[in-house]
């Protein structure tokens, strides 16, 4: 062995050994010996000797610049020689072949310093490109250990010969674990794929027990940690089992074992997966992070770790105290179970039976749907519903899947909605905007998909809000945004097992020159997102009974505003609704959710009720886009809808034509409700009512398919005919066995779903059997009746299948009309939202201000949550000079800024604002509200640290298009540092041309001369108080000037401080004044900024009488007859008179009777009348008047005139009234002090008079206190 080894060394090294080192080795180098020609023991010895010789000669060889092939062969051979002697030669050769491409001359020799340039990561990446190409030699545990040893030795030898060194000549660290994982990954996947396809066996590994030996020694009822489980267990399930805390579930965790997928094999008698469990292991390998619910007969079952999840989160009890759980087949129970698991952020694969046993006695099953937090509704519940089952629950769209791509110019933010088959994305979003968008969705579906350039994850790790459960999507650096979004859609489809066709609709929200998404702090302080103590802005934009989708739409628009063109379109739409008092929208009460329509139609499982709702929506939008009276709203509405569905534009006539095709299809396939289709019609069995009713109940319970599909379709018609034949035979069979005395002779059993006789028939009578085949006591039947029942049951089941097939075919045909359905539902939602917004806010005197470019803020604003009569309106003039607001505690500084910010946000989103119509609001790029939000201990951030973080973000984003509202900045640090920070912040904001308002109690800021070259100082605002310093009273008025005293003692007293505590307060305050010089008081005289004062017709049978009534109504109210609005019973009133406007109305009933009334809240009053009169209501005449007193006067006069002319009035007691309080002045009511009248309150005029008198008295009292008014003697 020694001799052969020496010859091999010389043969390999002869050309590279310097002269004089070894003459014998040089001579032997001419001899050629093949290592493989000798036995393996000789090979090992030769390799060891070769390694020794290499170590001895390496330095001399390198000095003489030996060829790199020597080094390459040397490193691989030496590292191979260090493997254990028991290593398989095939695997040894596979290692050499796998790494040869990069440790070779042709591959560039990754260990050469000229290749890696001293960069360890470059060297590691080149090694990670190597792969084990022979899956047949792969054995998981053994291969991983051998590869790790080989790499360590390879790296060590490279360091010895001076190759793996950095630029400073120091050895670089090895990365054996990283390279080993990548090297074996391909072979591992190939080996698993080979076992799945060739052997037909699922991928699983034997695992005796999931818990480690140390964990088993502890108390079983202690919640485990992820480290307590064996390494073969998927990390996802380790984390889920660590959340288990229910005692019943904790007892099951130690029982998991046998396999590493379910942990259920140990409970199988054979210890080998067979039958259904073998198939379940296959599903688990394909869906490793899903809970599997498998239909087994009449039950859904789960095993192992899935059963533990059911016990923990659904409250189920285990079967036989083993990890096995289940529940009966029911659409309602299934959805309830899915909801519980989804609330725990788990995904569920529902596996159902799709047929009967074949020749192999194996029931075919398939994965019907994967339900997750992003797709939480099971769409195939109709397959599980039986007669009498409750509804499966409400549809839920779920949380969106979120994808983010990190870019240098901001983030690409996308929301993926699987049910809608839609992905909405916006570019250039700031990190603060993404944080708010994530919170606006109230959670997202995991994982969050993230992409970006190399090492961009380091930036993402700095964001505390960035979701931890994320998945990075690898891709080349040149990958486009479109390719990234496609990859995200494929990832979602793969995880939910959805088909990739039809492709997802991509909707790009254009944000150029638009208001940037709000930060979380801004959204919470302005009431867009929920925050305790802050009134909800969305709740005050809409009435309390507004549909949920209107609130979602408004919140989405406020959090992520649209482009200027879309904002302008919304303004035009609202202006049309405000100005046109005769615009009556069609009925749009039952709008189906777009996600629900598309999801069920894609799954071909839509119900008859859903089709009817879709038809009603399409019919309403056909009316809107066809009738001339809606012409003014066509351009803005179509522009908004086009952007919402991802189209550049929409053609109105094309949309109308496609919507008409949709309604025609639905009419063709769905039963016409005007045609009766009752189960018991035309059936007569007995003259006895009780006996006849038993038969009718049986038929009604079985023929639930009636009234669903149209009988015009051949397959439905054929099924109905077969049912009719079976019904006739059933009735004849029942009649044959009835006794002569037919008093309550039949019994209908709901449980067994059959009809039996109480008495045994004289002819062919026998005992009846229940559904399990057992004989019933005192229940009888006949052979003919049994056969007729079986025939009838088959016919009913065939009819149910035919009806469901008809609905499925309708769904398939409607799949080609996705765009018009999206447009119709989207347009209806926008139109209803705009109408409800206008009708509600116009009653509160909200207005549509002028939106100007690059101007100063000049508006009369009021708090959005206060009634106008209770609010103090302030005139705000704000330019790029900014303003500093001071004032006492609780004087309204924060309220003023919140009102200012809300008005700016609403105006820039296109909505009505709590301001005057003459207001001018600039177009802003950002609205930022900075307020103290406390500390964040979990993130290691103090209260002032969080203020510093928010202000740093503001300074990074500030520009001339920014509105910055800073509320008491520096609250978390000492006063001197706070003053310095405030002054620095003001100078920075002013230098950037930002509109800002700073509210502060640091009064010294007003005395510091800010360095603003070439510019004036900021404006100084203060919140007013009465002149009585002993008992000060807040006026909440915005004034010019500076407030030097915060009146903290008054606030302390107001909220419960005792007199002794207040005395101590005054004592310490006086002590502070003695220690420092009193600050000079600024002049208190300043001019206060006070607010300035400021049906469609339808032809009917009774046309002539209706026109006469309308003319009489106009005459009484001194109006033009053309101004009378004629409203259909089901239509909504014009938004401008729906609420807060005095209206006189006349209800015209089908009988010809009239009802005359007046109200200040038309929407609510009409809802009451519709409930009272129902279908008797024929038409409504409306006419707005100046005030409540005028409305009552007109109501009385109209009743008298109608009675004189002989009209039939339902109520005429008001015509006897002579006086209705004070007449209103013709002058416009003062904008800032007009109170909102109570709805239909008879005392509203008196209350208004009292309010005015009280105001006059208060003004007189103030003037007396200032000695401005000298009373007479």
């Amino acid at each position: 062995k020694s001799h052969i080894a020496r010859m091999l060394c010389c043969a390999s090294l002869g050309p590279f050994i310097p002269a004089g080192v070894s003459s014998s080795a040089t001579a032997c180098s001419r001899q050629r010996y093949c290592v493989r020609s000798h036995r393996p023991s000789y090979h090992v010895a030769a390799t060891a000797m070769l390694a020794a010789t290499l170590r001895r000669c390496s330095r001399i060889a390198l000095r003489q610049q030996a060829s790199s092939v020597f080094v390459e062969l040397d490193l691989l051979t030496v590292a191979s020689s260090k493997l254990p002697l028991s290593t398989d030669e095939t695997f040894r050769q596979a290692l050499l072949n796998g790494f040869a491409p990069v440790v070779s001359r042709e591959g560039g020799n990754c260990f050469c310093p000229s290749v890696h340039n001293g960069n360890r990561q470059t060297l590691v990446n080149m090694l990670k490109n190597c792969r084990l190409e022979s899956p047949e030699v792969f054995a998981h545990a053994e291969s991983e250990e051998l590869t790790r040893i080989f790499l360590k030795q390879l790296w060590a030898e490279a360091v010895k010969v001076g190759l793996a060194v950095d630029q400073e000549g120091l050895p670089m660290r090895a990365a054996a674990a990283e390279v080993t994982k990548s090297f074996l990954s391909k072979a591992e996947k190939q080996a698993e794929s080979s076992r799945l396809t060739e052997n037909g066996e699922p991928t699983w590994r034997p695992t005796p027990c999931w818990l480690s030996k140390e964990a088993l020694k502890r108390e079983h009822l202690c919640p485990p940690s992820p480290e307590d489980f064996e390494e073969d267990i998927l990390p996802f399930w380790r984390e889920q089992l660590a959340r288990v805390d229910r005692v019943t579930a904790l007892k099951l965790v130690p029982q998991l074992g046998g396999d590493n997928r379910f942990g259920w094999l140990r409970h199988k008698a054979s210890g080998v997966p067979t039958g259904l469990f073998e198939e379940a292991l296959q599903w688990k390998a394909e869906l490793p992070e899903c809970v599997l619910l498998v239909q087994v007969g009449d039950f859904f079952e789960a095993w192992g770790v899935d059963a533990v999840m059911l016990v923990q989160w659904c409250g189920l009890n285990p079967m036989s105290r083993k990890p096995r759980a289940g529940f009966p087949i029911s659409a309602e129970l299934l959805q309830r179970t899915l909801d519980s698991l989804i609330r725990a952020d788990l995904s569920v694969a529902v596996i159902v039976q799709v047929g009967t046993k074949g020749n192999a006695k194996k029931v075919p099953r398939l994965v019907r749907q994967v339900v997750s937090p992003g797709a939480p509704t099971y769409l195939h519940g109709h397959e599980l519903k039986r007669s009498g089952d409750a509804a499966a629950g409400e549809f839920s769209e779920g949380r969106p899947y979120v994808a983010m791509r990190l870019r240098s110019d901001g983030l690409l933010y996308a929301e993926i909605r699987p049910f809608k088959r839609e992905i909405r994305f916006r570019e250039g979003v700031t990190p603060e905007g993404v944080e708010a968008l994530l919170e606006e969705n109230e959670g997202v579906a995991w994982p969050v998909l993230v992409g970006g350039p190399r090492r961009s994850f380091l930036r993402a790790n700095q964001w505390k809000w960035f979701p931890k459960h994320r998945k990075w999507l690898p891709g080349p650096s040149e990958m486009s945004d479109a390719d990234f979004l496609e990859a995200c859609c494929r990832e979602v489809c793969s995880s939910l097992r959805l088909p990739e066709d039809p492709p997802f609709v991509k909707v790009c929200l254009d944000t150029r020159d638009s208001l940037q998404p709000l930060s979380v702090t801004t959204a919470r302080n302005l009431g867009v997102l929920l925050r305790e103590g802050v009134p909800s802005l969305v709740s005050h934009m809409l009435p309390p009974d507004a549909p949920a989708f209107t609130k979602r739409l408004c919140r989405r628009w406020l959090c992520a505003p649209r482009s200027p063109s879309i904002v302008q379109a919304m303004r035009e739409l609202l202006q049309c609704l405000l100005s046109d008092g005769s615009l009556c929208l069609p009925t749009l009460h039952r709008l189906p959710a777009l996600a629900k329509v598309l999801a069920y139609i894609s799954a071909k499982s839509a119900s008859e009720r859903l089709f009817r709702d879709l038809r009603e929506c399409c019919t309403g939008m056909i009316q809107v886009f066809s009738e001339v009276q809606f012409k003014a709203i066509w351009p803005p509405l179509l522009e908004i809808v086009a952007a919402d569905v991802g189209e550049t534009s929409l053609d109105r006539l094309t949309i109308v034509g496609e919507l008409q095709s949709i309604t025609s299809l639905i009419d063709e396939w769905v039963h016409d409700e005007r045609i009766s289709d009752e189960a018991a019609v035309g059936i007569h069995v007995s003259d006895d009512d009780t006996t006849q009713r038993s038969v009718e109940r049986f038929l009604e319970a079985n023929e639930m398919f009636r009234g669903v599909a149209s009988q015009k379709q051949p397959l439905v018609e054929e099924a109905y005919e077969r049912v009719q034949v079976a019904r006739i035979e059933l009735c004849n069979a029942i009649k044959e066995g009835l006794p002569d005395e037919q008093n309550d002779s039949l019994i209908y059993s709901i449980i067994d779903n059959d009809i039996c006789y109480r008495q045994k028939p004289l002819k062919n009578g026998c005992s009846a059997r229940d559904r399990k085949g057992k004989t019933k006591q005192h229940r009888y039947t006949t052979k003919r009746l049994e056969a007729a029942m079986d025939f009838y049951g088959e016919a009913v089941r065939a009819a149910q299948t035919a009806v469901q097939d008809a609905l499925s075919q309708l769904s398939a045909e409607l799949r080609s009309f996705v765009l018009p359905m999206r447009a119709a539902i989207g347009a209806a939602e926008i139109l209803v939202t705009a109408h409800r917004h206008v009708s509600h806010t116009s009653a509160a005197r909200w207005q549509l201000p002028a939106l100007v470019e690059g101007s100063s803020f000049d508006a009369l604003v009021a708090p959005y949550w206060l009634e106008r009569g209770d609010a103090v309106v302030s005139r705000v003039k704000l330019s790029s000079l900014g303003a500093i607001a001071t004032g006492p505690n609780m004087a309204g500084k924060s309220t003023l800024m919140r009102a200012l910010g809300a008005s700016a946000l609403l105006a820039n989103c296109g909505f009505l604002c709590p301001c005057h119509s003459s207001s001018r609001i600039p177009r802003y790029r950002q609205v930022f509200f900075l307020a103290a939000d406390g500390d964040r201990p979990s993130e290691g951030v103090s209260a002032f640290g969080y203020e510093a973080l928010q202000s740093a973000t503001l300074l990074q984003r500030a520009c001339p298009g920014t509105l910055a509202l800073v509320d008491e900045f520096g609250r978390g640090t000492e006063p001197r540092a706070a003053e310095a920070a405030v002054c620095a912040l003001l100078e920075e904001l002013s230098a950037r041309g930002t509109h800002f308002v700073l509210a502060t109690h640091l009064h010294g800021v007003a005395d510091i001369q800010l360095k603003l070259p070439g510019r004036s100082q900021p404006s100084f605002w203060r919140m007013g108080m009465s002149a009585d310093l002993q008992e000060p009273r807040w006026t909440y008025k915005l004034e010019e000037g500076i407030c030097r005293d915060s009146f903290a003692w008054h606030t302390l007293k107001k909220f419960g401080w005792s007199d002794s505590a207040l005395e101590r307060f005054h004592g310490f305050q006086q002590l502070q004044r003695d220690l420092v010089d009193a600050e000079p008081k600024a002049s208190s005289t300043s001019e206060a900024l006070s607010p300035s004062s400021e049906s469609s017709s339808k032809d009917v049978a009774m046309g002539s009488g209706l026109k006469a009534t309308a003319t009489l109504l106009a005459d009484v109210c001194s109006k033009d007859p053309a101004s009378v609005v004629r409203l259909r019973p089901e239509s909504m009133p014009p938004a401008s008179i729906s609420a807060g406007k005095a209206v006189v109305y006349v209800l015209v009933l089908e009988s010809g009777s009239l009802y005359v009334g007046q109200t200040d809240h038309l929407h609510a009053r009409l809802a009451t009348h519709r409930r009272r009169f129902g279908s008797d209501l024929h038409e409504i005449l409306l006419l707005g008047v100046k005030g409540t007193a005028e409305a009552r006067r007109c109501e009385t006069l109209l009743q008298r005139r109608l009675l004189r002319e002989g009209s039939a009035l339902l109520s005429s007691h008001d015509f006897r009234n002579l006086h209705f309080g004070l007449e209103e002045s013709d002058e416009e009511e003062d904008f800032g002090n007009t109170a909102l009248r109570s709805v239909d309150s008879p005392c509203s005029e008196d209350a208004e008079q009292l309010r005015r008198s009280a105001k006059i008295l208060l003004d007189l009292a103030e003037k007396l206190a200032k000695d401005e008014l000298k009373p007479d003697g």
Side-chain angles (χ1 to χ4, degrees), residues 1070-1089:
Q1070 185 61 42
L1071 180 62
Q1072 291 173 344
R1073 289 171 180 165
D1074 294 341
L1075 293 175
V1076 295
D1077 294 332
E1079 297 183 359
K1081 299 294 180 181
S1083 173
S1084 60
T1085 59
S1086 62
E1087 182 181 355
L1089 296 175

Side-chain angles (χ1 to χ4, degrees), residues 300-429:
F300 275 112
E301 289 193 13
W303 309 288
V305 65
D306 297 344
V308 175
M309 296 297 105
L310 288 181
V311 173
Q312 167 69 24
W313 303 114
C314 305
L316 301 182
N317 292 322
M319 300 180 184
S320 304
R321 299 181 181 178
K322 294 181 179 180
R324 180 186 180 191
F327 54 90
I329 292 288
S330 167
E332 181 187 12
L333 286 177
L334 174 61
Q335 189 60 57
R336 192 187 307 166
T337 304
L338 294 175
D339 292 342
S340 300
L341 294 172
I342 286 168
R343 281 193 292 269
D345 287 328
L346 293 171
S347 297
V348 187
V350 181
I351 302 168
V352 299
Q353 299 175 181
V354 292
T356 57
K357 293 183 179 180
N359 296 331
K361 295 183 179 180
K362 182 178 179 181
V363 179
R365 294 179 174 86
L366 58 81
V367 180
R368 177 63 80 190
Q369 184 183 342
V370 175
V371 182
S372 72
T377 303
Y378 185 66
L379 303 176
H380 305 275
H382 65 282
E383 300 175 346
L384 309 176
K385 289 176 67 175
R386 304 172 183 177
S387 59
D389 281 357
E394 290 295 327
F395 175 85
S396 174
E397 183 181 358
R399 312 175 208 156
Y401 286 91
V402 168
M404 286 182 280
R405 192 176 191 205
L406 284 68
R407 307 190 309 185
S408 59
D409 59 342
L411 283 84
L412 172 71
Y413 176 85
E415 293 181 2
I416 306 173
R417 302 276 184 177
F419 281 162
K420 283 185 178 180
R421 304 290 297 186
E422 174 188 271
I423 177 168
R424 289 175 173 266
F425 64 96
R426 57 174 64 232
E427 302 173 341
V429 185

